[in-house]
Amino acid sequence: MLEELLQLQEIAVEEILATNQLKALEDLRVKYLGRKSRLRNIMSSLGGLPTDQRPKIGQAAGEAQKAIQTAIASQMSLIRETEESSSYIDVTLPGRVPDLGAPHPLIRLSYELTDIFRGMGFELFEGPETEDEYHNFDALNTPKDHPARDLHDTFYLEAGGLLRTHTSTVQIRLMENRQPPIRMISLGRCYRKETVDATHHFAFHQMEGLFVDHNVSFADLKGTIEAMGRQLLGPKTQVRFRSHFFPFTEPSVEYDFSCSLCHGASKECRICKGTGWIEIAGAGMVDPAVFESVGYDPENYTGFAFGMGLERIAMIRYGIDDVRLFLENDLRFIRQFSNLR
Ligand code: PHE
């Protein structure tokens, strides 16, 4: 019987320590300590045992009972503890605030411009930053000996090709693959051989626009640019065109927006330098030679194109005074724009 008691204790404790539910623990308590349990049964029969055995068996039964009770108590508090720690929420703790990112100011401006032009029915296209001379120059009516190439000196790649100097390349890439009508914009990075300072960088961003259809006129160009200016810099914004030259447009212009800061009223304005105008970009009517290089009939179609740098506009919009900040990847700079609308 001594042997049986020791075995009983061992099995009971082992089973108890293996449970992880209060209900199962209660069942084990009934099984091992309940009125009908083997242990109770032994204990109540002690009186009938020979006197020399009684103390030993009695002591062993008492020890078994104690061991089982201790195991139940400790297992119960363990189960309670785990249940509490997994369901307990301290509502007074400060919440975990996710680390919100902020769009880079140039990306933010790109979104804004894309919205403006989508509203006028333009589609967004992307072109490659590594280009060939044909798409960057020749197809844009800028042959090898053309002096305009000097202004667009760039990085030439060892494997052939170059880093594009403007987004006008996308005009060609799209027209090669599509028939008119075309209304597209394209935004992206461009490169030129520039010495880096507060207003120049060898890597910069442009937005290109192209509209080709029957009877597209200079008035359409003017209206489109004006609509953009007013949405970008305010409803009072005026546009001024100055004649200019680009190999791929004829006639060509540069256009300015009236100063959104002083509206021409301040001789000391830091944005327009007292002129009342901010130089924005180049534009013009697509040169017939460009249509010929993509297989369009210039007698049948006309179009306008424009291209503008994004950095200048972002600098004006967000009060940035050094173009190098855009590409330095300094989080202290980018975080300053997280609260803009
Ligand atoms: N690609 C020209 C530049 O980078 C801008 C331009 C685009 C001019 C389209 C006219 C038409 O200077």
Side-chain angles (χ1 to χ4, degrees):
M1 202 177 279
L2 205 57
E3 195 60 21
E4 190 194 346
L5 277 170
L6 287 177
Q7 220 174 34
L8 184 78
Q9 175 182 337
E10 195 181 316
I11 293 174
V13 169
E14 198 175 304
E15 264 190 69
I16 289 165
L17 298 185
T19 45
N20 52 18
Q21 269 167 357
L22 291 176
K23 172 78 181 63
L25 197 60
E26 173 59 15
D27 290 346
L28 289 176
R29 194 190 62 78
V30 171
K31 178 173 167 194
Y32 289 112
L33 302 175
R35 244 180 302 138
K36 292 180 189 149
S37 65
R38 177 69 183 136
L39 188 61
R40 275 299 189 89
N41 187 272
I42 292 176
M43 281 173 142
S44 53
S45 64
L46 279 177
L49 291 176
T51 34
D52 61 331
Q53 284 188 24
R54 216 182 287 164
K56 268 194 185 163
I57 305 285
Q59 200 190 349
E63 274 168 17
Q65 188 183 32
K66 222 169 154 197
I68 294 172
Q69 281 168 342
T70 315
I72 290 177
S74 79
Q75 193 63 11
M76 185 172 312
S77 57
L78 187 74
I79 294 173
R80 288 228 169 97
E81 241 172 64
T82 22
E83 274 185 358
E84 270 174 17
S85 66
S86 61
S87 63
Y88 182 65
I89 297 171
D90 184 351
V91 292
T92 66
L93 279 175
R96 279 183 213 136
V97 183
D99 205 4
L100 277 189
H104 187 283
L106 290 176
I107 297 291
R108 188 186 291 275
L109 179 64
S110 302
Y111 290 160
E112 231 175 284
L113 285 165
T114 306
D115 265 0
I116 292 174
F117 279 94
R118 281 227 174 95
M120 294 192 276
F122 284 70
E123 287 175 84
L124 180 64
F125 280 90
E126 246 184 309
E129 284 177 30
T130 54
E131 266 294 1
D132 47 46
E133 280 187 49
Y134 177 76
H135 288 89
N136 199 81
F137 294 121
D138 302 78
L140 287 160
N141 199 30
T142 317
K144 237 191 173 60
D145 56 359
H146 199 291
R149 281 207 187 193
D150 290 349
L151 302 168
H152 285 236
D153 200 7
T154 184
F155 300 89
Y156 288 83
L157 307 174
E158 272 174 15
L162 47 79
L163 296 184
R164 68 176 175 192
T165 63
H166 50 183
T167 44
S168 299
T169 51
V170 188
Q171 291 186 32
I172 304 300
R173 294 209 169 262
L174 183 61
M175 288 191 285
E176 280 172 341
N177 289 300
R178 272 252 200 131
Q179 287 302 307
I182 280 179
R183 269 188 244 183
M184 77 94 176
I185 55 164
S186 187
L187 297 118
R189 190 169 288 184
C190 307
Y191 304 81
R192 281 185 211 177
K193 183 183 166 293
E194 289 278 5
T195 306
V196 176
D197 63 22
T199 51
H200 300 85
H201 208 292
F202 59 81
F204 56 98
H205 298 74
Q206 280 194 340
M207 181 180 84
E208 192 80 11
L210 176 69
F211 191 146
V212 184
D213 206 341
H214 302 291
N215 305 317
V216 178
S217 75
F218 200 89
D220 296 317
L221 168 65
K222 245 189 131 173
T224 305
I225 299 297
E226 206 168 77
M228 163 176 68
R230 291 186 177 163
Q231 288 179 70
L232 206 57
L233 298 176
K236 294 212 182 83
T237 306
Q238 304 220 305
V239 188
R240 175 174 83 172
F241 287 82
R242 289 174 285 110
S243 65
H244 197 74
F245 173 83
F246 295 103
F248 34 89
T249 45
E250 182 60 36
S252 301
V253 293
E254 279 191 327
Y255 58 88
D256 309 331
F257 289 157
S258 55
C259 180
S260 57
L261 188 67
C262 75
H263 302 284
S266 164
K267 287 276 159 272
E268 275 102 52
C269 178
R270 67 178 165 82
I271 288 186
C272 68
K273 308 262 170 1
T275 64
W277 297 96
I278 321 164
E279 288 177 25
I280 297 287
M285 302 307 291
V286 179
D287 195 294
V290 173
F291 282 151
E292 270 160 20
S293 67
V294 296
Y296 287 5
D297 178 4
E299 294 299 321
N300 206 355
Y301 293 112
T302 51
F304 67 74
F306 57 90
M308 63 187 200
L310 300 187
E311 276 81 353
R312 257 184 79 78
I313 298 176
M315 287 168 87
I316 294 167
R317 285 288 309 255
Y318 309 130
I320 298 164
D321 58 8
D322 192 324
V323 75
R324 290 170 287 201
L325 289 166
F326 287 118
L327 288 177
E328 276 172 359
N329 280 342
D330 188 335
L331 286 177
R332 289 171 304 178
F333 168 70
I334 296 171
R335 289 210 173 105
Q336 291 174 44
F337 303 95
S338 57
N339 293 327
L340 292 180
R341 71 182 167 88

